[in-house]
Amino acid sequence: MHNPIIVALDVPNPEQALALAAQVAPAVGAFKIGKELFVSAGPDIVRRIRATGAAVFLDLKFHDIPNTVAKAVTAAVQLDVQMLTIHTSGGTAMMQAAEQAAQEAAHAAGHPAPLVLGVTVLTSLDAADLAAVGIAGGVGAQVERLAALAATAGLRGLVCSPLEIIALRKLLPATMQLVTPGIRPAEGGKPDDQKRTMTPRDALAAGASWLVIGRPIYAAANPRAAAEAILATL
Ligand code: C5P
């Protein structure tokens, strides 16, 4: 089995990100670079983490017209990232443009294509929030609608809440990669601001392909030991 742990490098500067990555790299499968670190440290932090040999998940959640998203995906491929995110609510043409750009840019650069992951409904939104922006029918139905649309558009992966995995596995092709945040270890796992969590082992049993883990690793007294302890439960 591949190491499914993706550590979120949710730290404000490149020095902290590189130190954390060096410390935990032997115990994890990849690192996630999100908006805070990317906006403060720029694309150079992606190159520097990649230069350590680690896989990178660039979590910038692109959502724009298809041409703009395709160009952003092409730029991400040139940074040699292994995973990136787009919003499925950008629609079929945007998703197809992102996947096509990932394949073509990777082919031109001689890399494997990164996994373009679709984000469905942000977990910060509830049914009332969706209704306010004109989406009736609730969160579950909208997640399933967008997940099915992503599969039809040719995406090979989705980001989802651990509590959505079982329902999504029933409607998606078995090859679809599911990446889930909201993971908390069974022993001493503080929920922080996550309201709906699952243990790493349970999320994999439900059908997750990758686990995004932030604070339980980076905020631990010993991040390497915390990552190893999680790995040992899998
Ligand atoms: O610290 P924690 O393990 O909660 O970090 C989870 C990571 O996954 C963070 O980078 C957070 O932004 C991201 N994430 C999330 N929930 C989502 C989508 C992304 O927690 N629905």
Side-chain angles (χ1 to χ4, degrees), residues 65-93:
I65 59 172
N67 182 57
T68 298
V69 168
K71 287 181 177 171
V73 169
T74 298
V77 171
Q78 282 156 2
L79 292 173
D80 192 22
V81 303
Q82 282 60 54
M83 299 181 182
L84 60 91
T85 41
I86 65 173
H87 273 285
T88 56
S89 51
T92 297

Side-chain angles (χ1 to χ4, degrees), residues 82-216:
Q82 282 60 54
M83 299 181 182
L84 60 91
T85 41
I86 65 173
H87 273 285
T88 56
S89 51
T92 297
M94 192 203 85
M95 289 191 274
Q96 288 172 335
E99 180 64 31
Q100 187 181 347
Q103 300 285 349
E104 289 179 3
H107 183 74
H111 315 144
L115 192 57
V116 177
L117 297 166
V119 173
T120 59
V121 178
L122 294 172
T123 49
S124 53
L125 301 177
D126 64 16
D129 297 315
L130 290 184
V133 294
I135 298 165
V139 174
Q142 183 67 1
V143 167
E144 292 181 22
R145 170 195 290 264
L146 290 171
L149 199 65
T152 305
L155 295 198
R156 293 162 293 134
L158 291 171
V159 179
C160 67
S161 140
L163 302 181
E164 293 162 358
I165 298 170
I166 289 179
L168 290 179
R169 278 282 170 230
K170 287 187 188 145
L171 67 100
L172 293 171
T175 51
M176 188 69 99
Q177 305 257 323
L178 295 181
V179 178
T180 180
I183 299 298
R184 288 297 177 267
E187 295 298 324
K190 278 189 296 168
D192 301 305
D193 59 351
Q194 298 283 12
K195 292 190 179 136
R196 295 177 299 149
T197 65
M198 209 180 258
T199 68
R201 190 187 170 90
D202 287 348
L204 290 181
S209 319
W210 297 89
L211 310 171
V212 175
I213 307 179
R215 287 160 289 184

